[in-house]
Amino acid sequence: MGGLQKKKYESGSATNYITRNKARKKLQLSLADFRRLCILKGIYPHEPKHKKKVNKGSTAPRTFYLLKDIRFLLHEPIVGKFREYKVFVRKLRKAYAKAEWTAVQTLKDNKPNYKLDHVVKERYPTFVDALRDVDDSLSMCFLFSTFARTGKCHVQTIQLCRRLTVEWMNYIVTSRSLKKVFLSIKGIYYQAEILGQTVTWLVPYQFAHDHPTDVDYRVMATFTELYTTLLGFVNFRLYQTLNLVYPPKLDSKAEAGLKAEHEDDYAMDSESYLEKLSALSASLARVVSSAEEEEAEADHFPAEGEDVADMEAREKEQKEQDAHKRLFEGLKFYLNREVPRESLAFVIRCFGGQVSWDKSLCIGSTYDVTDETVTHHIVDRPSIGQQYVNRYYIQPQWVYDSINGKVKLPVEDYFLGVSLPPHLSPFVEEKEGDYVPPEKLKLMALQRGEKPEAEEEEEEDEEDEEEDDDDEDEEEEEEEMDEEEAEEESNLKKIEQQRGQGKVPSVKVTPGKVKQEDRKRTEQEEQAEEKRLAIMMMKKKEKYLYDKIMFGKKRKVREANKLTAKRKAHDDAAKADKKKKKKTMQ
C-alpha cells in the first residue's frame, strides 16, 4: 500500500524561495516601488544552494527572495502608502488635464506622506545597534550635503542632510570624541569613539560635482531617506546624553561674540543661524544653564579578576586619552582663505583649540588676523606677504599629522615652501615582521618622549664622512697589499736559499688552544633540531597547515624586504641628487 505520490518541486528548498516577479505580483507593486520597499526594510535577494531545484529544473537566470521575507512585507503600512500615492498621481494628472486648479491645490495639500520611524525601530532595537550602523548613514548624508541644486535630487533632501551633518559635527566637537583623521584621494576619513563604539565616516572635498550618468540617483535617494531618519534619532539621543538643547542652539554669550559682516544678505534667519552653527567656532547651549560643572575625580578600584598592574595600565591609558583630547588647548589658530576651512575648524575645535578666519570669508570668525595672541597661522601657499613675529606660519598637514601622532610635532618640517613629510595613515597598524617606514619610526620616538636630531644635518655629515672614509680605506688597502706582497716574496726567497744549500725546512709543533663552547649557539642548535624533528613527526593535515602558515610568514618577510630595498633605492637617488645640486652650487 503506497501513500500519496510526492510531486516534484513542491517540498523542500523549492518552497522556501520566490522569484522577484512573483513577489512583486503578490505585493501588487511596480518594480521601482518594490525596490524602494526592500531597501527601506533591509530585505535582500538570496542565492539558493540548489538553484536548479528552486528554479523548477530551469537554468534561466532569476532573482530569488526568501518567501518568509515577502510574507513579512505583506502587512507593511508603507505598501498601502505607495498605493495611495499612485492614486494621488492619477487624480492629479486628471485635474491638470481638466484645468481644475482648485482641485489641484486641494490634492497637493492632502498629498499622502509616510514616516519611517517604525522601520528604524524594527531594524535597530537598541541605540547601540543604531550607532554600529551609523557609518553608512553619515557618509551618504555628507555626500548629499555637498550636492549642488541641479535637479538630480530634491532640494529639501540636500538641506536636511546639511542640517543633520552640522548637528553631528557639533556633537563631536562638544564631546571631543574624534580619534583619527586621514586625507585620501576619495575624501577625508574621520574616526570617533562614541559610547564605546568606533564610528568611521568619509567626507568628500568641497569641489564642484560632475554627476556621473551611470549612477542611479533614485536608489541613492531611497537609502538617504532611511539614513536621514536614522541620523535624526541618533543625534537627538546623543545630544540628550550631553545635556544639550536639541535642535542645537548657540550659547547666548558665544552667539553675541560671533561677527557677521554680511548677515543682512541672508533671506531667512534660519539660513543665517545654520551658517553660524556650521562655522563650528562657538559652544552650544545646554538644557540646564548653570555655572561651569565641576568634574569630580572618580575613585578607581580594580575590577573583578584585575591586578593592580592592569589597573595602573588602564589609568595610564586613560590619562593618555585625556591628554590627546586636550592636544590643542591654549593654542589659537588663524586660517588663511585658501585652506579647507570647515575640516580644519572641525578638527582643531575637537582637540580644544580656538580657530578663526577672515570675517569676509564666512560667518563665525571670533578674532582678526591682527590678534597678537594667535600662535599658529595656517597657510597653503609658498609665501605670504605680511608676517608677524610671534606666530608660526605652517601648512595644514601639521594639524592632521599632530592629531594622528597624538603629539604636537615639530613645526620646522611644515613651514611655508618646505616639502612636506609623507602623510601616514593612522588606520594602518604594523604587526611583527611588517615593513615600518622611517617616518613612522621617528614618530614613535617622539611619542616615547625622545628627541631625534635633525636628520638632514646628520645625512650631510654622514655623506662627507663617507667620502673621507672611502679615500682613507682605499689608501690603507693599497698599503696592506704592498706589505703582504713584500712578506710573501721574502718567505719564498728564504725557502729557495735553504733548498739550494741542501737544508730541509724545519717543522714546528705549536701547542693547541682550548676552544670555548658557545652555550647560546648550542642551545639554538638543539632547539632547531627539536623543531625539525617535531615537524617530521607531524600528521599530514597538520604538516599542510604548518606549511601554509610558514609560507604566509615568508611572503610577508619578502614583501617587507622588497619595500625596504625600494626605500633604500629612493633614498640613495635623493642623496645623489643632493650631491649633484651641491656640486653645481659650488
Side-chain angles (χ1 to χ4, degrees), residues 27 29 37 40-41 72-85 112-119 122:
L27 293 167
L29 290 173
L37 184 63
L40 294 174
K41 296 289 288 182
F72 172 66
L73 292 177
L74 282 169
H75 307 288
E76 177 56 45
I78 296 174
V79 176
K81 290 291 182 182
F82 283 168
R83 290 172 189 149
E84 285 177 23
Y85 188 78
N113 293 315
Y114 59 88
K115 289 187 176 181
L116 299 176
D117 302 357
H118 66 285
V119 177
E122 271 177 20

Side-chain angles (χ1 to χ4, degrees), residues 167-192:
E167 288 172 5
W168 173 265
M169 287 193 290
N170 274 291
Y171 167 78
I172 297 293
V173 166
T174 309
S175 62
R176 294 195 184 181
S177 50
L178 192 68
K179 298 293 178 189
K180 296 175 183 178
V181 195
F182 180 59
L183 308 174
S184 74
I185 296 171
K186 293 180 182 178
I188 305 173
Y189 285 92
Y190 297 100
Q191 190 178 89

Side-chain angles (χ1 to χ4, degrees), residues 7 12 28 65-66 70 103 178 197 215 237 244 256 263 284 300 377 383 393 454 467 478 506 543-544 547 561 571:
K7 291 185 180 179
Q28 298 177 6
Y65 289 84
L66 285 173
I70 302 304
L178 192 68
Q197 300 298 320
V215 175
R237 182 70 181 273
L244 296 170
E263 196 169 347
L284 298 178
H300 296 286
H377 193 132
S383 61
Y393 287 86
E467 288 176 1
E478 287 176 1
S506 60
K543 180 75 165 55
Y544 176 72
D547 288 341
N561 291 339
D571 291 343

Side-chain angles (χ1 to χ4, degrees), residues 3-37:
L4 289 170
Q5 189 179 358
K6 287 186 178 180
K7 291 185 180 179
K8 224 175 181 184
Y9 311 122
E10 287 191 4
S11 63
S13 61
T15 57
N16 294 333
Y17 296 91
I18 186 171
T19 61
R20 188 175 66 181
N21 280 337
K22 281 186 179 179
R24 201 167 52 77
K25 285 173 185 174
K26 199 178 184 73
L27 293 167
Q28 298 177 6
L29 290 173
S30 64
L31 183 58
D33 286 343
F34 180 72
R35 274 180 183 160
R36 285 183 69 195
L37 184 63

Side-chain angles (χ1 to χ4, degrees), residues 253-416:
K253 292 179 183 177
E255 190 179 358
L258 292 181
K259 300 175 184 178
E261 188 178 316
H262 304 288
E263 196 169 347
D264 299 333
D265 296 345
Y266 289 91
M268 297 170 68
D269 292 338
S270 60
E271 286 184 358
S272 169
Y273 203 78
L274 182 64
E275 287 296 316
K276 285 181 181 176
L277 272 174
S278 62
L280 305 171
S281 59
S283 54
L284 298 178
R286 297 188 178 271
V287 176
V288 182
S289 56
S290 57
E292 292 182 0
E293 298 174 2
E294 294 181 1
E295 293 185 0
E297 288 187 8
D299 295 329
H300 296 286
F301 298 101
E304 291 183 8
E306 189 181 34
D307 299 334
V308 179
D310 294 339
M311 190 186 75
E312 287 176 357
R314 186 160 48 82
E315 284 179 10
K316 187 182 178 183
E317 189 180 350
Q318 186 62 39
K319 283 178 182 177
E320 286 175 0
Q321 288 178 0
D322 294 340
H324 189 213
K325 286 179 182 178
R326 297 192 299 271
L327 185 65
F328 295 144
E329 265 190 11
L331 303 182
K332 291 183 82 172
F333 294 83
Y334 188 86
L335 309 180
N336 235 38
R337 61 174 59 248
E338 71 274 0
V339 301
R341 186 202 64 80
E342 187 171 284
S343 173
L344 282 166
F346 173 57
V347 296
I348 289 167
R349 291 270 292 125
C350 280
F351 291 91
Q354 296 181 50
V355 63
S356 185
W357 47 85
D358 189 1
K359 59 186 176 183
S360 64
L361 180 64
C362 180
I363 284 181
S365 64
T366 50
Y367 46 86
D368 296 323
V369 67
T370 54
D371 193 337
E372 293 182 357
T373 56
V374 174
T375 56
H376 294 76
H377 193 132
I378 301 177
V379 185
D380 197 10
R381 56 178 73 179
S383 61
I384 191 169
Q386 187 182 0
Q387 294 190 9
Y388 295 86
V389 182
N390 58 345
R391 68 180 69 167
Y392 293 116
Y393 287 86
I394 52 173
Q395 299 184 54
Q397 192 181 318
W398 180 83
V399 176
Y400 300 109
D401 286 351
S402 297
I403 289 167
N404 295 334
K406 301 180 181 180
V407 65
K408 283 183 278 220
L409 297 175
V411 292
E412 294 83 16
D413 298 335
Y414 299 88
F415 282 153
L416 305 187

